[in-house]
């Protein structure tokens, strides 16, 4: 599975290292092991593995993480463009959702 | 509660300080398996739901752990099977029948709904502890700090996969790094192919039908016999390219060269075009002309590239920024391939 890597240098994940207290909640919630714990802090060590799900930023008590959250779904982007909205993962009325 | 007790997976009830709670089976019935299979093929997938609320497994007590899940029946089935032999509570959120990860992305599996269900089910009267176990992928929509503030319950994030729950619970609610990672192994990929096939089928059929109708064009304006010759062959190759890319993209994902899905899919179209050229190389009117041959190598990769690109949404590791980036390059190329390919294909009908 670890052979499955997506595009390099695109993920928008950023960390304000001065705000990080090393609580490691981001490490707990990250599904792609983007972060590594250091003695008193946490560092982004694999940004290219980030899928921009936003779990880390939502659960960071210090608001030390920012990321443009979204679903990496071409069908959602096309659907959003067709409707003039942002990317959308189906809507409840149309009953079509790819996930 | 009365309505929930009539469901086939309910085997009994347990009395709590907050009333009767249905106890559910921890093995799947034939009906459950057929339901899963139908959902995988897109049949009733968007209404494959169970009523939200609190359920129990085994002989749950006030000390038993509370596991949170979505009201997509397949998610619920996964968790109750994983809890065979475990006494636990299952708190089902109303996610409109969407699985945990996708619902968390939409916000329906989220902080507010979790707080709402904790209060609605009087969870604080049912259990003596103050912890709810949320699947790790639910963290996309659940802020542990906000849930604590809003409900008094601490959120502990459990493993990504329900099947790891017994080990996680046995280890004092500790997840190994391996339990925290999302994988995308062969079976998890291939099981997604049917719904991709079902969703794409009508578009592929339309394209194939349009080409069959167009195939009557040629010297002498329009001829029915060409429909059976050129038309069915062309339609057949379009369908083949559609089937190949819908099935092989998930199956061969790690081995298809390139990181962009649109590129991965292109190889499949080139493969089908090569096959098309090979089997028709001695058939007059099909690809013996240069424009005809080239048209296969433009039309089929454009189609397969598009289909593979749409698999980004089903995959577990693509980012929005990445998909934007690949689409900026791939979509114009796919359109160009389709337009030029179609032009050459029509030209080939007249020069054959």
């Amino acid at each position: 599975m670890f052979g499955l890597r997506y595009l390099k240098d695109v993920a928008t994940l950023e960390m304000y290292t001065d705000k990080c207290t090393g609580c490691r909640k981001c490490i707990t919630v990250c599904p792609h092991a983007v972060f590594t714990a250091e003695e008193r802090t946490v560092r982004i060590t694999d940004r290219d593995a980030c899928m921009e799900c936003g779990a880390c930023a939502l659960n960071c008590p210090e608001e030390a993480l920012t990321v443009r959250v979204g679903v990496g779904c071409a069908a959602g982007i096309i659907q959003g463009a067709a409707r003039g909205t942002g990317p959308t993962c189906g809507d409840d009325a149309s009953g079509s959702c790819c996930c | 509660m009365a309505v929930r007790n009539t469901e086939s997976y309910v085997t009994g009830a347990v009395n709590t300080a907050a009333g009767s709670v249905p106890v559910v089976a921890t093995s799947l019935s034939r009906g459950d398996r057929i339901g899963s299979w139908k959902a995988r093929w897109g049949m009733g997938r968007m209404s494959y739901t169970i009523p939200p609320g609190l359920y129990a497994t085994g002989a749950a007590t006030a000390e038993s752990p509370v596991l949170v899940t979505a009201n997509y029946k397949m998610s619920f089935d996964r968790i109750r099977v994983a809890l065979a032999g475990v006494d636990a509570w299952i708190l089902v959120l109303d996610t409109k029948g969407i699985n945990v990860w996708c619902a968390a992305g939409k916000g329906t599996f989220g902080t507010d709904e979790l707080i709402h269900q904790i209060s609605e089910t009087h969870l604080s009267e049912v259990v003596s502890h103050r912890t709810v176990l949320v699947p790790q992928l639910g963290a996309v929509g659940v802020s542990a700090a906000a849930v604590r503030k809003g409900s008094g319950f601490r959120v502990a994030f459990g493993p990504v996969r329900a099947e790891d729950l017994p080990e996680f619970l046995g280890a004092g609610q500790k997840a190994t790094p391996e339990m925290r990672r999302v994988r995308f192994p062969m079976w998890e990929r291939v099981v997604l192919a049917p719904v991709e096939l079902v969703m794409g089928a009508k578009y592929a059929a339309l394209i194939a039908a349009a080409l069959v109708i167009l195939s009557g064009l040629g010297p002498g304006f329009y001829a029915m016999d060409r429909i059976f010759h050129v038309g069915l062959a062309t339609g057949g190759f379009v369908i083949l390219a559609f089937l190949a890319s819908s099935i092989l993209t998930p199956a061969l994902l790690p081995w298809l060269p390139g990181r962009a899905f649109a590129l991965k899919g292109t190889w499949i179209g080139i493969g089908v075009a090569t096959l098309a050229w090979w089997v028709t190389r001695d058939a007059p009117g099909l690809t013996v002309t240069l424009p005809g041959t080239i048209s296969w190598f433009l039309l089929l990769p454009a189609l397969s590239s598009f289909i593979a690109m749409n698999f980004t949404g089903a995959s577990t590791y693509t980012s929005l920024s990445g998909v934007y980036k690949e689409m900026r390059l791939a979509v114009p190329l796919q359109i160009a391939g389709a337009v030029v390919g179609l032009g050459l294909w029509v030209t080939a009908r007249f020069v054959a």
Side-chain angles (χ1 to χ4, degrees), chain B residues 6 11 41 68 78 83 89 110 147 160 162 166 204 208-209 226 251 284 304 306:
Chain B
T6 64
T11 58
W41 283 93
V68 183
R78 283 278 169 88
L83 293 174
W89 303 101
V147 171
V160 166
R226 280 195 292 259
S304 64
F306 182 78

Side-chain angles (χ1 to χ4, degrees), chain B residues 112-312:
Chain B
D112 293 346
E113 170 62 7
L114 179 52
I115 293 171
H116 170 73
Q117 289 296 343
I118 287 173
S119 135
E120 188 81 7
T121 58
H122 302 281
L123 190 63
S124 60
E125 295 166 39
V126 177
V127 293
S128 53
H129 61 80
R130 290 292 174 267
T131 301
V132 286
L133 300 172
V134 173
Q136 187 191 319
L137 297 181
V140 173
V142 171
S143 160
V147 171
R148 175 151 220 173
K149 201 179 283 176
S151 72
F153 275 79
R154 182 179 78 94
V155 170
F157 289 108
V160 166
R161 285 167 296 277
E163 69 203 50
D164 289 330
L165 274 173
E167 195 188 332
F168 171 82
L169 294 170
Q173 302 186 1
K174 288 248 180 327
T176 63
E178 180 53 24
M179 284 183 205
R180 296 233 167 272
R181 289 199 77 150
V182 166
R183 292 172 300 177
F184 203 28
M186 176 67 99
W187 177 247
E188 283 182 20
R189 298 195 304 266
V190 170
V191 80
L192 300 172
V195 89
E196 298 288 318
L197 280 171
V198 170
M199 290 198 302
K202 59 177 179 235
Y203 302 106
L206 274 175
I207 296 169
L211 288 170
V212 169
I213 292 166
L214 280 175
S215 67
L217 290 174
F221 193 57
Y222 201 89
M224 288 306 286
D225 64 322
R226 280 195 292 259
I227 288 180
F228 293 101
H229 181 53
V230 179
L232 293 186
T234 306
F237 291 130
V238 166
I239 298 292
L240 187 64
F242 161 69
L243 293 175
S245 46
S246 299
I247 296 166
L248 297 182
T249 302
L252 304 180
L253 199 63
W255 302 287
L256 290 166
R259 291 179 180 229
F261 282 45
L263 178 57
K264 286 175 180 290
T266 304
W267 307 121
I268 298 171
I270 290 173
V272 177
T274 307
L275 182 77
W277 165 76
W278 180 258
V279 299
T280 62
R281 68 197 186 284
D282 294 325
L286 280 172
T287 58
V288 284
T289 59
L290 190 62
T293 306
I294 296 172
S295 75
W296 293 126
F297 282 89
L298 290 172
L299 281 174
L300 300 181
L303 175 67
S304 64
S305 171
F306 182 78
I307 289 166
M309 191 179 78
N310 274 312
F311 193 65
T312 50

